[in-house]
């Protein structure tokens, strides 16, 4: 049997446009890494941004100026990392995928036709409905189902725009926990409970993470 080579697989890298932290990874750094990835034979680059301290990839507190601005075009209002594409395009020739915020088919089409994006990435919509890509491509839906605004642990002072950063983080983790719980349900072949409260999801996610962390600690160390 012939041995598999890297030509048999698509190898892509998800790359932050920036991590939005002082002294952190900048767009210029990202361009340099993108060039390295192209030279190393990467087939395409997926552009996203943020990290678990600054989760811009899920725009949890609606702080992102692009996402907040209503005068922008549909695609700019939805997709948070589109502005970085021209800069990346100048640096690399491999296909570029953009992930983060796409909810309407119109915005996805505009990003491909007007911004030269090659691939559209969907995260949370795929968790809510794993068949969403088929539905988009067959023209059955104009908009993906989303829970972006509903997944809050509280409102006002307790909500995602709270002046208290701990409470903002709690909301972000409530939303992430909700999605994680759904991923686990799908993996177990169960129907996800779309009515699960973000607070209960947070508690359950916390229990799962604690269990996993303890199991890792118990794992015998390799000699
Ligand atoms: C539950 C959950 C887990 C995620 N885990 C990762 C991860 O491990 N690595 C990563 O690069 N992005 C991760 N993301 C970010 C997504 O891949 C995606 O960039 C983000 O959700 C924005 O796309 P969307 O608006 O289509 O959801 C995660 C998102 C969610 C909701």
């Amino acid at each position: 049997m012939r041995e598999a080579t890297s030509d048999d697989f698509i190898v892509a890298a998800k790359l932050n446009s920036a991590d939005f932290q002082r002294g952190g990874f900048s767009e210029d750094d990202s361009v340099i890494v993108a060039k390295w990835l192209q030279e190393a034979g990467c087939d395409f680059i997926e552009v996203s941004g943020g990290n678990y301290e600054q989760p811009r990839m899920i725009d949890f507190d609606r702080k992102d100026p692009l996402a907040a601005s209503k005068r922008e075009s549909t695609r700019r209002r939805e997709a948070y990392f589109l502005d970085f594409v021209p800069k990346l395009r100048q640096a690399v020739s491999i296909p570029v995928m953009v992930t983060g915020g796409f909810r309407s088919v119109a915005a996805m089409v505009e990003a491909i036709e007007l911004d030269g994006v090659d691939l559209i990435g969907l995260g949370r919509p795929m968790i809510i409905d794993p068949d969403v890509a088929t539905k988009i491509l067959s023209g059955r839906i104009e908009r993906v189902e989303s829970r972006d605004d509903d997944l809050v642990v509280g409102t006002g002072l307790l909500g995602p725009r709270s002046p208290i950063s701990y409470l903002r983080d709690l909301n972000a983790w409530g939303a992430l926990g909700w999605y994680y719980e759904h991923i686990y349900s799908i993996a177990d072949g169960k129907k996800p409970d779309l009515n699960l409260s973000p607070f209960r999801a947070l508690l359950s996610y916390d229990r799962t993470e604690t269990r996993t962390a303890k199991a890792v600690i118990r794992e015998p160390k390799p000699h």
Side-chain angles (χ1 to χ4, degrees):
M1 206 171 77
R2 185 176 67 83
E3 233 178 64
T5 72
S6 62
D7 289 343
D8 297 319
F9 303 95
I10 291 176
V11 179
K14 189 177 187 192
L15 184 64
N16 272 4
S17 57
D19 61 14
F20 305 99
Q21 288 190 308
R22 210 187 305 270
F25 191 72
S26 70
E27 286 195 358
D28 290 338
D29 296 328
S30 187
V31 165
I32 294 170
V33 175
K35 283 184 188 160
W36 289 343
L37 287 166
Q38 173 166 287
E39 279 162 27
C42 192
D43 292 301
F44 72 86
I45 291 176
E46 179 184 1
V47 177
S48 191
N51 56 37
Y52 279 119
E53 284 180 32
Q54 284 286 339
R56 293 295 174 93
M57 65 284 193
I58 63 161
D59 189 34
F60 80 98
D61 57 356
R62 318 294 186 270
K63 254 193 194 157
D64 194 286
L66 286 181
S69 167
K70 293 290 172 213
R71 61 193 157 71
E72 296 273 10
S73 62
T74 315
R75 68 191 191 286
R76 300 223 165 265
R77 216 162 49 221
E78 291 188 24
Y80 329 132
F81 305 114
L82 218 42
D83 269 7
F84 179 57
V85 173
K87 202 166 175 177
L88 190 60
R89 276 258 168 262
Q90 281 182 351
V92 296
S93 54
I94 51 176
V96 170
M97 174 177 188
V98 176
T99 301
F102 283 108
R103 297 295 177 263
S104 72
V105 175
M108 298 174 205
V109 171
E110 278 179 20
I112 289 171
E113 289 183 345
L114 305 177
D115 296 293
V117 170
D118 300 289
L119 294 152
I120 302 291
L122 296 174
R124 288 163 291 173
M126 290 285 289
I127 301 173
I128 292 176
D129 179 4
D131 290 329
V132 74
T134 314
K135 289 180 185 167
I136 292 171
L137 293 173
S138 61
R140 271 150 62 200
I141 52 170
E142 288 297 317
R143 237 193 123 70
V144 302
E145 196 183 333
S146 92
R147 299 286 159 124
D148 302 341
D149 295 325
D150 308 337
L151 298 178
V152 294
V153 169
T155 54
L157 191 67
L158 302 176
R161 294 196 194 100
S162 170
I164 302 162
S165 70
Y166 175 77
L167 292 173
R168 286 200 302 274
D169 291 349
L170 204 69
N171 277 273
W173 284 104
L176 276 172
W178 190 92
Y179 283 107
Y180 275 118
E181 288 303 306
H182 283 77
I183 293 174
Y184 300 149
S185 293
I186 293 167
D188 289 343
K190 294 183 199 147
K191 211 173 151 45
D193 171 14
L194 294 181
N195 295 319
L196 179 69
S197 94
F199 188 65
R200 290 191 57 181
L202 177 66
L203 296 179
S204 170
Y205 174 56
D206 183 58
R207 275 196 301 273
T208 312
E209 286 288 286
T210 307
R211 235 188 353 256
T212 311
K214 283 184 178 159
V216 170
I217 291 166
R218 274 199 304 271
E219 188 79 8
K221 291 198 173 53
H223 294 289

